[in-house]
Amino acid sequence: MTQFLQKYGLSADVPALEALIESVKAEVPTLKTREALLSCFSLMDLTTLKTDDTEASVAALVNKVNDYARKYPDYPLPASVCVFSNFASVVAETRNNPALHATVVSACFPSSQSFLDVKLLEVRKAVENGADEVDIVLNLCKFLSGDYAGAFDEIKAVKATIEDAAPDRKVILKVILETGLLPDAEHILSASFLAMEAGADFIKTSTGKVSVNATPIAAALMCSAIKAFHATTGKIVGFKPAGGLSSADDAILYYNIVSRILGPIWLSPKTLRFGVSRMANNLLSAIEGKELKQF
């Protein structure tokens, strides 16, 4: 595992990152400007991942975004609506604007515990049914067992399947590290580098389905890995915190952790997303200065 840290010249300086986080937390009240809140709104992957989701309920959520666009024509759209793989076509067919991406969780989300050919079939069908973005979970069975090559090869296989299923369009691949299940900072950094080397367009903290999801320290570690990877390879990889983010203050905190470590250039839907289900109303309410329940 240490080979990744040595290759990119990065150590897990947790105390320095914790100090940075505390500094950002102290500044959240002054950083929570209207401009920043609008930017955060544009970064949301508006998510529904419930056992009782139906085609009708997913379409209803997309129609809430369509209705929001009519009510607030000068405000940005969320980046995407994120759903289970079988609802990719519902999002794609219901949205009024293709700029609202259809994101799916796939490859046997959230555990990633299945056969590779099953995972690849799910990914292929999601892309063929209109998915613009695919979020998968790092194979923790392999990674935590020290089979880094196996975990790497699985991401590569998913990437190749996406490209084969959509040869004429760019489909984004996000790899979820499930940082709350990784034992320490070195594992978070190593998992970040492994996923990026394997072709991830984004690395993502969490599924939202375990007891510890996105945390500021995990975000800071992952952003540090992205920075080191970019310095070495020139490649730009995005970051997505998910799980437990709900308030406007949460959005501003993570937004500015990214800004401090990676710079303002990363504050774009091309390189930063928030995986959320409750944040949309809270951001809209903070922007408007009154409680709103649009979503």
Side-chain angles (χ1 to χ4, degrees), residues 40-46 76-81 98-103 132-133 269-270 272-274:
C40 288
F41 195 95
S42 75
L43 305 174
M44 293 188 304
D45 288 344
L46 189 59
L77 286 171
S80 79
V81 171
L100 178 72
H101 280 189
T103 295
D132 302 298
E133 308 185 9
K270 293 181 179 179
L272 177 59
R273 298 292 182 82
F274 299 136

Side-chain angles (χ1 to χ4, degrees), residues 183-194:
D184 52 40
E186 286 76 13
H187 279 82
I188 292 174
L189 292 174
S190 296
S192 298
F193 287 126
L194 183 149

Side-chain angles (χ1 to χ4, degrees), residues 248-259:
D249 283 3
D250 290 336
I252 294 297
L253 173 61
Y254 283 93
Y255 185 80
N256 282 283
I257 289 171
V258 173
S259 181

Side-chain angles (χ1 to χ4, degrees), residues 33-292:
T33 64
R34 179 181 175 84
E35 180 183 12
L37 291 167
L38 284 167
S39 182
C40 288
F41 195 95
S42 75
L43 305 174
M44 293 188 304
D45 288 344
L46 189 59
T47 301
T48 180
L49 299 173
K50 295 181 288 189
T51 302
D52 60 350
D53 282 340
T54 63
E55 291 187 359
S57 68
V58 170
L61 177 59
V62 179
N63 276 320
K64 288 178 181 179
V65 180
N66 293 337
D67 181 59
Y68 153 84
R70 288 190 292 270
K71 289 180 178 177
Y72 303 94
D74 297 327
Y75 284 12
L77 286 171
S80 79
V81 171
C82 179
V83 295
F84 287 115
S85 291
N86 51 304
F87 296 120
S89 61
V90 178
V91 178
E93 293 167 8
T94 306
R95 63 190 174 187
N96 287 344
N97 188 338
L100 178 72
H101 280 189
T103 295
V104 298
V105 293
S106 197
C108 301
F109 175 96
S111 70
S112 193
Q113 297 279 27
S114 191
F115 304 101
L116 180 57
D117 56 349
V118 174
K119 297 179 186 182
L120 297 181
L121 178 60
E122 183 184 358
V123 168
R124 177 178 292 278
K125 289 181 74 66
V127 173
E128 289 175 347
N129 279 275
D132 302 298
E133 308 185 9
V134 176
D135 292 17
I136 68 166
V137 182
L138 171 69
N139 189 323
L140 291 179
C141 174
K142 294 184 183 296
F143 182 78
L144 293 174
S145 300
D147 182 6
Y148 305 124
F152 177 94
D153 289 344
E154 184 166 301
I155 297 170
K156 290 282 287 185
V158 170
K159 183 83 168 182
T161 296
I162 289 171
E163 291 173 347
D164 184 66
D168 300 324
R169 60 189 178 97
K170 170 66 177 176
V171 175
I172 292 168
L173 172 62
K174 307 192 200 87
V175 177
I176 304 164
L177 307 185
E178 202 69 288
T179 53
L181 299 182
L182 298 180
D184 52 40
E186 286 76 13
H187 279 82
I188 292 174
L189 292 174
S190 296
S192 298
F193 287 126
L194 183 149
M196 290 188 287
E197 286 192 354
D201 298 302
F202 278 73
I203 51 175
K204 175 179 171 181
T205 58
S206 321
T207 61
K209 305 296 184 182
V210 297
S211 58
V212 178
N213 292 291
T215 63
I217 190 61
L221 287 163
M222 291 170 67
C223 288
S224 297
I226 290 170
K227 183 177 181 179
F229 186 76
H230 177 252
T232 301
T233 67
K235 296 178 181 178
I236 293 176
V237 175
F239 171 63
K240 179 178 175 178
L245 281 71
S246 61
S247 69
D249 283 3
D250 290 336
I252 294 297
L253 173 61
Y254 283 93
Y255 185 80
N256 282 283
I257 289 171
V258 173
S259 181
R260 291 279 189 92
I261 296 173
L262 291 168
I265 193 174
W266 251 263
L267 303 178
S268 156
K270 293 181 179 179
T271 44
L272 177 59
R273 298 292 182 82
F274 299 136
V276 300
S277 57
R278 294 172 293 162
M279 184 185 283
N281 283 330
N282 293 329
L283 279 175
L284 190 57
S285 296
I287 294 163
E288 287 288 298
K290 59 184 178 182
E291 185 176 4
L292 294 170

